[in-house]
Amino acid sequence: MPRRDFGGPELAVTHDPTRSPAVAVFGVHGDHAADEVRAGMVLQHLLLLAADLGLAAAMYSQPIEVPAVREQLRRAVHRLYDPQLVLRFGYAPAIGATNRRPVADVIEVDPALTAGRAG
């Protein structure tokens, strides 16, 4: 799957197979509201596990939103599951911390809501 071009200098492409991304089709049995909730719970676990393993994850919902493409994905997984999401896992270069505003600059607490609380 090609990466998005954000401009800037072209980066050297690595051919290290251990660093190549893997693409997965995530799905569950059924396509009802309860199935979607279960899919969200499993996806949360999957993303936390990937982060624990040092993997970066990119999620693509657009293929699922196109009925013909969703059917192709369903066939690719032998109709066992209804596709919910396409994921790409791989290793990403480490980047520095980004600047963040202090919490007090972006959140206001209404004193009336905290009145009477021990603090």
Side-chain angles (χ1 to χ4, degrees), residues 55-67:
L55 293 169
M59 298 178 279
Y60 303 95
S61 63
Q62 297 90 341
I64 304 306
E65 296 167 6
V66 178

Side-chain angles (χ1 to χ4, degrees), residues 20-112:
S20 296
V23 177
V25 176
F26 176 77
V28 294
H29 288 291
D31 198 19
H32 303 290
D35 300 315
E36 291 175 4
V37 170
R38 185 176 52 230
M41 293 168 62
V42 173
L43 179 61
Q44 176 186 15
H45 179 78
L46 181 63
L47 293 173
L48 288 170
L49 178 62
D52 191 45
L53 295 172
L55 293 169
M59 298 178 279
Y60 303 95
S61 63
Q62 297 90 341
I64 304 306
E65 296 167 6
V66 178
V69 176
R70 189 172 192 194
E71 182 58 30
Q72 288 178 334
L73 290 170
R74 184 179 282 116
R75 278 191 239 128
V77 294
H78 307 291
R79 295 187 183 269
L80 296 176
Y81 304 102
D82 286 312
Q84 299 289 325
L85 195 62
V86 176
L87 298 133
R88 184 180 74 203
F89 295 100
Y91 295 94
I95 59 171
T98 58
N99 293 329
R100 300 284 186 212
R101 293 171 58 188
V103 172
D105 287 357
V106 294
I107 296 178
E108 293 181 17
V109 177
D110 184 349

